[in-house]
Amino acid sequence: VAGYSAYYYLRPALPSVAEMRDIPLQIPLRIYTRDGQLMQQVGEKRRTPVRYEEIPQRVVNAFLAAEDDRFFDHPGFDYQGILRAAVKLVLTGSRAQGGSTITQQLARAYFLTRDRTFIRKAKELILAIQIEESFSKEEILELYLNKTFLGQRSYGVSAAAQVYFGKELAEVSVAEAATIAGLPAAPSRLNPVRNADQARDRRSYVLRRMLELDFITDAEYTAAMNTPMESFLHAPAVEVSAPY
């Protein structure tokens, strides 16, 4: 009864999730030569939107392992995650473990603040249910993986691959995919440029989860765990230098 009451009380004041289809993603200005070579990139945010079909499965699996392994099974919220968060709140008084699904995170990124209040969480859950009704799972993942802030002015997985590894998204390894997937929890603190040790610890967690979920083999896990952690920025791949 409380849940239904909250739903019908809050829903009229919430935005329509259909707006998400029309909200453009902010991308930098790119200046090219006549024959299509990049001369300069200007803008606060680094983002290169990609379609779901262009995202390697290892990148998708890394994010599922890190953030929401039941994504393809739940209706926008995960009762198991909510129960874990509730138990933690009762036992410790801490709300650090929020139990948000990828869909809830997407709702927050588009329409809500990061205020840690029960009202915000209720709005987030309602919007997540509406998103699941309006979009396919693949569309939700595509929006999430293009929208999410991943540190160092990079937004979306394609930009993160370039910023941290100087690679196209299709070229990232299992270790690099796990590094990127570990960033949403705390992108400004866990990125390998800011803190290589914490980034390595977070990568190890993601790799363990990928192994537990059978997303990678034992050999892939061992190789990824032994991969050195990069800790420097990569500039945009400018092909023609013409700063004037």
Side-chain angles (χ1 to χ4, degrees):
V1 172
Y4 276 108
S5 298
Y7 179 81
Y8 285 108
Y9 175 76
L10 293 172
R11 181 172 180 175
L14 294 175
S16 169
V17 298
E19 297 175 16
M20 293 172 61
R21 297 186 186 275
D22 302 319
I23 298 175
L25 295 172
Q26 182 179 340
I27 59 176
L29 169 67
R30 296 184 177 95
I31 305 168
Y32 294 90
T33 63
R34 181 174 297 179
D35 58 350
Q37 299 183 77
L38 181 64
M39 297 168 61
Q40 186 60 274
Q41 179 171 288
V42 182
E44 177 186 352
K45 297 180 178 180
R46 294 182 63 175
R47 176 186 278 124
T48 304
V50 289
R51 298 189 305 274
Y52 180 79
E53 295 77 17
E54 299 174 309
I55 304 172
Q57 190 61 47
R58 59 186 172 278
V59 174
V60 172
N61 287 344
F63 274 86
L64 295 179
E67 296 292 326
D68 186 3
D69 63 280
R70 285 167 41 82
F71 171 75
F72 282 99
D73 300 318
H74 64 61
F77 64 94
D78 185 357
Y79 73 91
Q80 294 180 3
I82 293 174
L83 287 175
R84 286 195 300 269
V87 170
K88 184 176 180 65
L89 176 62
V90 171
L91 294 178
T92 68
S94 169
R95 286 179 292 181
Q97 187 174 347
S100 292
T101 64
I102 282 176
T103 314
Q104 288 175 270
Q105 293 178 47
L106 184 65
R108 182 172 64 233
Y110 268 95
F111 300 118
L112 303 172
T113 67
R114 297 187 67 87
D115 295 340
R116 293 169 64 185
T117 65
F118 289 110
I119 293 296
R120 196 270 294 163
K121 289 294 291 185
K123 291 179 178 179
E124 181 183 287
L125 191 150
I126 293 170
L127 284 170
I129 294 173
Q130 293 177 329
I131 290 171
E132 292 274 351
E133 292 173 349
S134 302
F135 295 86
S136 69
K137 289 289 189 177
E138 290 75 15
E139 288 175 322
I140 293 170
L141 269 178
E142 180 179 314
L143 287 168
Y144 175 80
L145 294 175
N146 281 309
K147 176 75 172 176
T148 302
F149 175 56
L150 297 170
Q152 299 295 335
R153 297 194 302 144
S154 64
Y155 290 78
V157 290
S158 183
Q162 173 61 43
V163 167
Y164 295 116
F165 307 112
K167 294 182 176 182
E168 296 298 321
L169 185 60
E171 300 172 340
V172 299
S173 66
V174 170
E176 291 162 345
T179 301
I180 295 171
L183 294 173
S188 297
R189 177 171 55 84
L190 293 176
N191 75 74
V193 173
R194 182 73 178 271
N195 194 322
D197 290 337
Q198 289 194 30
R200 185 182 299 106
D201 292 342
R202 179 65 178 169
R203 182 187 70 179
S204 297
Y205 164 76
V206 178
L207 289 170
R208 285 196 302 272
R209 293 287 297 132
M210 294 179 75
L211 181 65
E212 291 167 359
L213 294 166
D214 293 326
F215 289 156
I216 56 176
T217 64
D218 290 333
E220 289 174 317
Y221 171 77
T222 301
M225 288 289 288
N226 292 329
T227 301
M229 176 63 69
E230 290 194 8
S231 59
F232 55 90
L233 291 174
H234 295 265
V238 173
E239 298 166 293
V240 175
S241 178
Y244 50 86

